[in-house]
Amino acid sequence: MATHPLRLENPTIVARTDARPAMVTAFLGGAIVAWGAAGGTVDHAQLSICLLASLAWMATRLDPTLIAVTGALALTAVTVLAGGVASSPLAHLGDDTTVLIVGAFVLAKAVDRSGLAAALTDRVIGSASGRFALARLGCGVFATTFLIPATSARASVLVPVVERAKARATTRGAQRTIALMAPLIVVLGAIASPIAAGANLLAIQVLTAQTGEPLSFATWIAAAAPFGLLISVVAVVVAWALFRHDDRAPDAVAATAEGAAADVGDPAAKYRVALVLAGAVVLWTTAGVHPLEPTLVAILAAVLVTLPGYGALTLPQALKGVDWALIVLLAAAAQIGEVVSGNGLVATGVDDTARMIAGLDAAAVPIVIGALALVAMLAHLVVTSRTARAALLLPGSLAIAAAAGLDPAVAALTVAAGTGFCILTPVGSKALLVFAGSGGADLARNDLYRSGSIILPVQLLLTLVFALWVWPSLVGGA
């Protein structure tokens, strides 16, 4: 039988098509290496290593943890060879955020094993189906923005709930929509509450330090919650639109049988874990009223849910549920982000930009806002920690805002919202890594890139609208 002339299974064509991304990646990698070598300074070498790590995360199929550890080791080697004192590539394993994630992982494992995740999913979604079920789940995920601090801890607690929701889905497209929209809401909607992300608290601190005028939590929520809600709605719509035509049979979700068996074995465990979770949420939301830090609350909750005779599982079982490869990845990525935030070339670039902006007139304010937002949104391609991005960008951004005649509070909100756009690569956010797992199998990198490419211009436009017409009336003079 003659072969149809339009048949696409030509191996030569496929090979050429598959080779193009590798060629582009190799070219960009070579350009970065050449730039670093031409600079000849430690700052050039360090920044080139960070850029290479980001390129590898985005454009290769190498293990993300391997990339992070290799990059951190290379940075340590460069610093030592230059005669400096370098910290351990995994020094951030002891950070409060890392410990918080481990505690949240243990709590999430108990939530799953006790059957509480299934009960919460049923309560949130109810009898709704199709788009109504997605809407209700999206509202539930967004509500946790005001209840659980830190995007990574929120992601850890939500993972079993999301898995349960995927198990209820009737099509593969619905499963992919749920798997994508929940992480997007967690990171994009975090601007809504000061406690939802460390970058938000840092923005308030930097604003207070530079202007002497603090921005209250109530004012922040009034200004930022509508933005967070709108961008979360955009995320849900984009996720649904990407996969609405995928009518394949749904994938099996292995966690369902485990949780159901645990629920039948000890029904009371569900209520005990629910009590611990409720107590943790109350302590998290009232942080500042009591002396317990969020990390300590997470550890206490993890201990309670593993106590013999009370918890839903033993401590060894709980620790097996922690993605330790992910924890190592987070520590190494934090080290890379710390080096970028302290890089002299980056600091010089911020200062030069501030001086350039000072020469512009008031008509350039929309351009300044757009530039601040865009830089903050794309910074996750280089600096993997949201808080580190905020620490790097906020001081210079407030100086640029003052030079352009822009309200500093508006600039702080603009940067904080921009740092939340970290969805072009899973390594751009700890929360995305938690949802994806260390191997990235549960949250496809290509799905993030596709959705991020659509959401980026929408968020940029939304930021301009809020910064020009909404936020000045709410936080003006704050």
Side-chain angles (χ1 to χ4, degrees):
M1 179 181 292
T3 303
H4 195 282
L6 296 181
R7 187 175 179 180
L8 299 180
E9 287 83 357
N10 189 316
T12 304
I13 296 177
V14 172
R16 289 177 181 174
T17 303
D18 291 342
R20 291 176 185 175
M23 293 173 62
V24 172
T25 303
F27 172 78
L28 292 176
I32 292 172
V33 171
W35 174 83
T41 68
V42 175
D43 285 338
H44 281 87
Q46 289 179 338
L47 195 54
S48 63
I49 291 171
C50 297
L51 291 172
L52 285 172
S54 296
L55 180 63
W57 278 324
M58 289 186 295
T60 72
R61 297 187 179 276
L62 294 173
D63 182 82
T65 302
L66 176 62
I67 295 171
V69 173
T70 302
L73 283 171
L75 289 171
T76 300
V78 166
T79 304
V80 171
L81 290 174
V85 178
S87 58
S88 167
L90 299 180
H92 289 273
L93 278 175
D95 284 359
D96 285 347
T97 301
T98 306
V99 177
L100 174 63
I101 294 174
V102 173
F105 261 126
V106 173
L107 181 58
K109 187 69 173 178
V111 167
D112 186 36
R113 284 287 298 272
S114 67
L116 181 59
L120 289 174
T121 306
D122 291 340
R123 179 63 61 90
V124 170
I125 298 178
S127 59
S129 61
R131 285 171 289 181
F132 294 104
L134 293 176
R136 292 187 60 156
L137 179 62
C139 290
V141 173
F142 182 73
T144 62
T145 301
F146 303 93
L147 302 175
I148 304 175
T151 55
S152 50
R154 201 151 59 251
S156 300
V157 174
L158 284 172
V159 162
V161 176
V162 170
E163 289 301 304
R164 299 293 170 176
K166 288 167 61 179
R168 288 184 45 158
T170 57
T171 65
R172 176 63 179 142
Q175 287 184 326
R176 297 177 70 188
T177 299
I178 293 169
L180 178 62
M181 79 174 201
L184 292 182
I185 294 173
V186 167
V187 295
L188 295 174
I191 181 66
S193 171
I195 71 165
N200 298 346
L201 293 173
L202 184 62
I204 294 175
Q205 293 172 0
V206 173
L207 181 65
T208 303
Q210 292 199 9
T211 66
E213 299 174 348
L215 193 64
S216 69
F217 277 25
T219 302
W220 181 285
I221 292 174
F227 181 93
L229 179 60
L230 284 175
I231 199 63
S232 296
V233 171
V234 171
V236 174
V237 172
V238 169
W240 170 78
L242 286 176
F243 308 121
R244 69 186 188 278
H245 296 307
D246 188 349
D247 295 326
R248 292 176 295 171
D251 287 346
V253 179
T256 303
E258 181 187 11
D263 191 24
V264 172
D266 187 7
K270 177 171 61 178
Y271 300 101
R272 295 195 296 267
V273 172
L275 182 62
V276 174
L277 179 61
V281 168
V282 170
L283 291 173
W284 279 330
T285 54
T286 56
V289 178
H290 54 79
L292 301 179
E293 294 293 329
T295 300
L296 180 57
V297 173
I299 294 174
L300 290 173
V303 170
L304 287 174
V305 297
T306 57
L307 280 178
Y310 184 87
L313 69 173
T314 65
L315 184 59
Q317 289 174 331
L319 293 178
K320 288 180 181 178
V322 177
D323 191 338
W324 292 107
L326 171 62
I327 299 300
V328 172
L329 166 58
L330 294 176
Q335 177 71 9
I336 293 174
E338 183 181 79
V339 170
V340 174
S341 62
N343 189 273
L345 293 175
V346 176
T348 301
V350 172
D351 293 339
D352 291 344
T353 303
R355 285 193 293 269
M356 180 185 69
I357 294 295
L360 301 178
D361 54 26
V365 168
I367 299 176
V368 173
I369 293 172
L372 291 178
L374 187 60
V375 170
M377 292 168 71
L378 296 180
H380 73 283
L381 300 178
V382 179
V383 184
T384 56
S385 166
R386 185 176 190 158
T387 304
R389 291 194 296 275
L392 172 65
L393 296 174
L394 278 167
S397 297
L398 295 187
I400 290 172
L406 179 66
D407 191 312
V410 172
L413 284 166
T414 299
V415 173
T419 57
F421 182 89
C422 42
I423 59 177
L424 293 177
T425 169
V427 191
S429 166
K430 297 182 183 72
L432 295 184
L433 285 171
V434 171
F435 277 108
S438 60
D442 299 325
L443 185 60
R445 179 177 57 187
N446 188 51
D447 292 343
L448 281 175
Y449 180 79
R450 291 168 62 198
S451 61
S453 300
I454 299 171
I455 295 173
L456 189 151
V458 176
Q459 178 166 334
L460 186 59
L461 178 61
L462 196 61
T463 302
L464 284 170
V465 171
F466 270 75
L468 291 174
W469 294 291
V470 180
W471 288 335
S473 62
L474 294 174
V475 300

